[in-house]
Each structure stands twice: as structure tokens, then as C-alpha cells.
Amino acid sequence: MPSDTDTIEGFVNPTDTTEVFSDAVNWSAGVQYTVIATGFSATGANGSNVVLWSIPDDNSAPASNYVEFRVINASPHSPPGGVDVYIDPIPVQSMGNPVLSGLAYQQVSEYVSLAFFPDNNSNNINYGYELYVTQSGSTAPIFSQYLDPANNTIHTLVLTDVQGGNAMNPLALELTDLD
């Protein structure tokens, strides 16, 4: 695909003809992107409080027997000071160290490469990872979520708000970038 600039428009619903926001996005040739709109469409003139991100992906295959994650904080109601992110292999004995610290609203992490754990507990059918999101500096989870990636894959985890609410969503949106 050649370099280009496109306009992205947001609407409240598919049958609505009044746009909430409109913004131009520049694309580079040969680059894949994750595109996210965040913010508050109900405030500001013509969606002026909506932020549109065009985030370049790095979909280079991970090393053999590894999986990669990155986190995008698109939650306007994430805690002040950001969030810490833990991704622990199951079975989780106790939360380990955060793989990301202080990820604030409108920040994107680097990719985190973790050893693939297809079945690290032969007495239990559960395997994979447990994602914990905490307020930065705390070990009390805001939420936790089971992740079950395949070997040698890349995943983007997007932190969002509850639709129509004023709190962080208790589940991350998991995008499989490379499988």
C-alpha cells in the first residue's frame, strides 16, 4: 500500500448521519497500524475532545517459543499516575513484578516479550497468562483477565472506559496482531 492521507469520521451509530469527529490520518507505505479513537465525544465542539491515534505496529515474528504483548492506555478514567501491568504465567502463585509501570492515559508501551507457557501445570487444564492492571505503585488489581495466546504471536491489549460510563473497563480489548 502506498503512503496516503485518509479522513476518518466517527458517528454515534451506523444510522446517524451527523459525525462526532473527523480527523486526517497519515499512513506510511508498508506499515501496519492500530487505529484508536479515545476521549469524550459528548463534550467539546464537533468531537474536539476525541483523540485519534494511528499507532505503527511491529509485527516482526517473536523469537521461537515467545509471545509478545503491548498495552495501549485509551482509558480517560485510568488512575492518576497511570497503571502498572502484570502478565504472569498460570498458575499464578503470587503477582510478580510489573512488566509495565506508570502507563498513563494516551501512552503506548513497547512490546514485551515473554516465554510461551503452553501448559506449565500438568495437573490443571488452565494455561496461559493472567493479566493484572493496578494503579501505579499498588498491587491491588483494578481488574484481572485471562489471556490464552498461541505460541509466536503478538497481541495488543487496549485499556478502555466502560461504554457511557466514567470508569475503566474491567476487561482489556485484546487484539491479535500476528498469529
Side-chain angles (χ1 to χ4, degrees):
M1 176 169 134
S3 297
D4 196 5
T5 300
D6 290 310
T7 299
I8 295 181
E9 298 174 326
F11 298 88
V12 172
N13 63 56
T15 60
D16 196 343
T17 58
T18 304
E19 67 185 37
V20 175
F21 72 91
S22 177
D23 204 355
V25 178
N26 297 313
W27 311 104
S28 296
V31 178
Q32 295 174 327
Y33 294 88
T34 297
V35 179
I36 295 175
T38 185
F40 302 98
S41 62
T43 59
N46 192 26
S48 62
N49 291 328
V50 173
V51 176
L52 185 66
W53 285 341
S54 176
I55 305 162
D57 299 333
D58 178 0
N59 290 333
S60 305
S64 181
N65 293 317
Y66 278 80
V67 61
E68 291 184 354
F69 297 96
R70 74 169 167 181
V71 180
I72 299 172
N73 189 343
S75 171
H77 287 99
S78 64
V83 295
D84 292 346
V85 176
Y86 299 75
I87 303 175
D88 293 327
I90 292 175
V92 176
Q93 304 300 320
S94 65
M95 286 174 50
N97 294 317
V99 294
L100 302 167
S101 297
L103 189 68
Y105 172 54
Q106 295 186 8
Q107 284 188 324
V108 179
S109 77
E110 298 293 324
Y111 290 89
V112 175
S113 186
L114 300 173
F116 179 66
F117 285 94
D119 187 2
N120 53 340
N121 182 358
S122 60
N123 298 324
N124 188 334
I125 60 169
N126 292 329
Y127 58 93
Y129 303 86
E130 191 70 25
L131 165 72
Y132 296 97
V133 176
T134 70
Q135 181 169 349
S136 186
S138 171
T139 56
I142 296 170
F143 72 88
S144 65
Q145 179 176 337
Y146 175 69
L147 303 173
D148 183 19
N151 192 12
N152 299 104
T153 58
I154 300 173
H155 302 265
T156 295
L157 304 171
V158 183
L159 306 179
T160 63
D161 274 2
V162 174
Q163 183 177 352
N166 59 359
M168 181 179 267
N169 193 332
L171 289 174
L173 174 64
E174 183 178 2
L175 307 174
T176 301
D177 300 342
L178 177 70
D179 62 10

